């Protein structure tokens, strides 16, 4: 069991560690002044949005911008702490913040996935998924950001490694 938990901790470490540059260099571009980003990063975002037909990143609706805002102000400061905790392994102090993070992200990504699946993109000003295959491709980009936070929550809730009750001494 300890080996399985350590494997999960490494997965969680790579998830949080890789999320730092993704958030700073790509995800928050729609919120921050364009002057902060070099042309190559702006072109990378434009290429991604066009190639994978992600209109939410090309021209984010306000509800999507609110999720990006939460990513910037709430999640980004948490990423280094979580990366450290899971890199080190066995840090029980990460349990409650990880549950809060995982629940928050799973909730927001569920809304994004529903939008991808059910939104009528026929009048989109930007490339958008039209076929099931295109929707599935876009879903596959966002799905790990649901699966891994759910795995984090389940690990924190049900793993005896993180869910130990300390017994109080009675005198």
């Amino acid at each position: 069991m300890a080996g399985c938990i350590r494997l999960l901790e490494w997965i969680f470490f790579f998830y949080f560690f890789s999320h730092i540059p993704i958030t700073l260099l790509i995800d928050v571009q729609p919120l921050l002044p364009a002057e902060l980003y070099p042309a190559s990063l702006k072109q990378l975002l434009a290429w991604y949005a066009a190639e994978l037909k992600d209109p939410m990143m090309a021209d984010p609706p306000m509800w999507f911008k609110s999720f990006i805002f939460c990513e910037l102000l709430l999640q980004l400061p948490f990423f280094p702490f979580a990366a450290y905790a899971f890199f080190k392994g066995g840090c029980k102090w990460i349990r409650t913040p990880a549950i809060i993070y995982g629940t928050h992200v799973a909730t927001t990504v569920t809304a994004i996935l529903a939008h991808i699946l059910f939104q009528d993109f026929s009048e989109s000003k930007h490339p958008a998924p039209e076929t099931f295959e295109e929707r599935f491709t876009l879903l596959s980009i966002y799905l790990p950001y649901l699966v891994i936070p759910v795995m984090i929550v389940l690990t924190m809730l049900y793993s005896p490694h993180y869910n130990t009750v300390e017994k109080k001494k009675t005198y």
Side-chain angles (χ1 to χ4, degrees), residues 2 4 115 149 171:
C4 181
H115 182 74
Y171 298 98

Side-chain angles (χ1 to χ4, degrees), residues 48-152:
Y48 160 80
E51 188 68 25
L52 294 170
K53 299 187 176 187
D54 188 346
M56 294 173 293
M57 287 302 291
D59 185 20
M62 191 53 65
W63 65 268
F64 192 79
K65 282 184 179 180
S66 72
F67 291 173
I68 298 171
F69 186 76
C70 288
E71 183 177 0
L72 177 63
L73 291 183
L74 302 176
Q75 297 173 30
L76 181 62
F78 176 67
F79 294 159
F81 294 102
Y84 168 79
F86 291 119
F87 177 78
K88 185 176 178 192
C91 295
K92 296 186 185 329
W93 56 265
I94 198 67
R95 183 178 187 267
T96 301
I99 291 169
I100 294 168
Y101 168 83
T103 304
H104 167 73
V105 172
T107 302
T108 60
V109 174
T110 298
I112 293 167
L113 296 176
H115 182 74
I116 293 167
L117 281 172
F118 305 117
Q119 177 67 26
D120 178 8
F121 292 109
S122 62
E123 295 183 19
S124 178
K125 298 173 187 169
H126 300 279
E130 297 173 12
T131 67
F132 177 76
E133 181 180 337
E134 291 170 345
R135 287 177 191 265
F136 184 77
T137 299
L138 190 53
L139 278 173
S140 70
I141 299 297
Y142 285 93
L143 198 57
Y145 298 100
L146 172 65
V147 171
I148 293 176
V150 168
M151 288 171 51
I152 291 168

